[in-house]
Coordinates of all heavy atoms in Angstrom, one line a residue:
G16 N -25.9 -19.0 4.5 CA -26.8 -18.0 4.1 C -27.1 -18.3 2.7 O -28.4 -17.9 2.2
I17 N -26.1 -18.5 1.9 CA -26.4 -18.7 0.4 C -27.1 -20.2 0.2 O -28.0 -20.2 -0.7 CB -25.0 -18.8 -0.4 CG1 -24.5 -17.3 -0.3 CG2 -25.2 -19.1 -1.9 CD1 -23.1 -17.1 -1.0
A20 N -30.8 -19.8 0.8 CA -31.6 -18.8 0.2 C -32.5 -19.4 -0.8 O -32.2 -20.3 -1.7 CB -30.6 -17.7 -0.6
G21 N -33.8 -19.0 -0.9 CA -34.7 -19.6 -1.8 C -34.5 -19.1 -3.1 O -34.6 -19.7 -4.2
N22 N -34.0 -17.7 -3.2 CA -33.8 -17.1 -4.6 C -32.7 -16.0 -4.5 O -32.6 -15.3 -3.4 CB -35.0 -16.5 -5.0 CG -35.1 -16.2 -6.6 OD1 -34.0 -16.1 -7.1 ND2 -36.1 -15.9 -7.1
I23 N -31.7 -16.0 -5.4 CA -30.6 -15.0 -5.4 C -30.4 -14.6 -6.7 O -30.2 -15.5 -7.8 CB -29.5 -15.5 -4.6 CG1 -28.4 -14.4 -4.6 CG2 -28.9 -16.8 -5.3 CD1 -27.3 -14.8 -3.8
N24 N -30.3 -13.2 -7.0 CA -29.8 -12.9 -8.4 C -28.7 -11.9 -8.4 O -28.1 -11.5 -9.4 CB -31.1 -12.2 -9.1 CG -31.7 -11.1 -8.3 OD1 -31.0 -10.4 -7.5 ND2 -32.9 -10.8 -8.6
L25 N -28.3 -11.5 -7.1 CA -27.1 -10.8 -7.0 C -26.3 -11.0 -5.8 O -26.8 -11.1 -4.8 CB -27.5 -9.3 -6.9 CG -26.4 -8.1 -7.1 CD1 -25.6 -8.3 -8.5 CD2 -27.0 -6.7 -6.9
L26 N -24.9 -11.4 -5.9 CA -24.1 -11.7 -5.0 C -23.0 -10.7 -4.7 O -22.2 -10.5 -5.6 CB -23.5 -13.1 -5.3 CG -22.3 -13.6 -4.3 CD1 -23.0 -13.8 -2.8 CD2 -21.6 -14.7 -4.8
F27 N -22.8 -10.1 -3.5 CA -21.9 -9.3 -3.1 C -20.8 -10.0 -2.4 O -21.1 -10.7 -1.5 CB -22.3 -8.1 -2.2 CG -23.2 -7.1 -2.9 CD1 -24.5 -7.4 -3.2 CD2 -22.7 -5.9 -3.4 CE1 -25.4 -6.5 -3.7 CE2 -23.5 -4.9 -4.1 CZ -24.8 -5.2 -4.3
T28 N -19.5 -9.9 -2.8 CA -18.5 -10.6 -2.1 C -17.3 -9.6 -1.7 O -16.8 -8.9 -2.5 CB -17.9 -11.8 -3.0 OG1 -17.0 -12.4 -2.4 CG2 -17.5 -11.3 -4.5
I217 N -16.7 -18.4 -9.9 CA -17.4 -17.3 -10.3 C -18.2 -17.7 -11.7 O -19.3 -17.3 -11.9 CB -16.4 -16.2 -10.6 CG1 -15.8 -15.7 -9.3 CG2 -17.0 -15.1 -11.5 CD1 -16.7 -14.9 -8.5
V220 N -21.4 -19.6 -11.0 CA -22.3 -18.7 -10.3 C -23.1 -17.8 -11.5 O -24.2 -17.6 -11.4 CB -21.7 -17.7 -9.3 CG1 -22.8 -16.7 -8.8 CG2 -21.5 -18.6 -7.9
T221 N -22.2 -17.1 -12.2 CA -22.7 -16.3 -13.3 C -23.4 -17.1 -14.4 O -24.5 -16.6 -14.9 CB -21.5 -15.5 -14.0 OG1 -20.5 -16.5 -14.5 CG2 -20.9 -14.5 -13.1
A223 N -25.3 -19.4 -13.9 CA -26.6 -19.7 -13.2 C -27.5 -18.5 -13.1 O -28.6 -18.6 -12.5 CB -26.3 -20.3 -11.7
G224 N -26.9 -17.4 -13.7 CA -27.6 -16.2 -13.8 C -27.6 -15.3 -12.6 O -28.3 -14.3 -12.4
V225 N -26.6 -15.5 -11.8 CA -26.4 -14.7 -10.6 C -25.3 -13.6 -10.9 O -24.2 -13.9 -11.4 CB -25.9 -15.4 -9.3 CG1 -25.7 -14.6 -8.1 CG2 -27.1 -16.4 -9.1
G226 N -25.5 -12.4 -10.7 CA -24.5 -11.4 -10.9 C -23.6 -11.2 -9.7 O -24.0 -11.5 -8.5
V227 N -22.4 -10.9 -9.8 CA -21.3 -10.9 -8.8 C -20.7 -9.5 -8.7 O -20.3 -9.1 -9.8 CB -20.3 -12.0 -9.0 CG1 -19.2 -11.9 -7.9 CG2 -20.8 -13.4 -9.2
I228 N -20.7 -9.0 -7.5 CA -20.1 -7.7 -7.3 C -19.0 -7.8 -6.3 O -19.3 -8.4 -5.2 CB -21.1 -6.7 -6.9 CG1 -22.1 -6.3 -7.9 CG2 -20.5 -5.4 -6.4 CD1 -23.3 -5.3 -7.6
M229 N -17.8 -7.3 -6.5 CA -16.7 -7.5 -5.7 C -16.6 -6.2 -4.8 O -16.6 -5.1 -5.4 CB -15.4 -7.7 -6.3 CG -14.1 -7.7 -5.5 SD -12.6 -8.0 -6.5 CE -12.5 -6.4 -7.2
I230 N -16.5 -6.3 -3.4 CA -16.3 -5.1 -2.5 C -14.8 -5.0 -2.1 O -14.3 -6.0 -1.5 CB -17.3 -5.2 -1.4 CG1 -18.7 -5.4 -1.8 CG2 -17.2 -4.0 -0.4 CD1 -19.6 -5.7 -0.7
I247 N -15.1 -11.8 -13.0 CA -16.2 -11.0 -12.5 C -16.5 -10.1 -13.6 O -17.7 -9.8 -13.9 CB -16.0 -10.2 -11.2 CG1 -15.8 -11.2 -10.2 CG2 -17.1 -9.3 -11.0 CD1 -15.4 -10.7 -8.7

Side-chain angles (χ1 to χ4, degrees):
I17 294 177
N22 194 341
I23 182 172
N24 54 26
L25 192 60
L26 173 65
F27 289 84
T28 176
I217 295 294
V220 170
T221 54
V225 178
V227 180
I228 294 177
M229 181 181 72
I230 301 172
I247 294 174

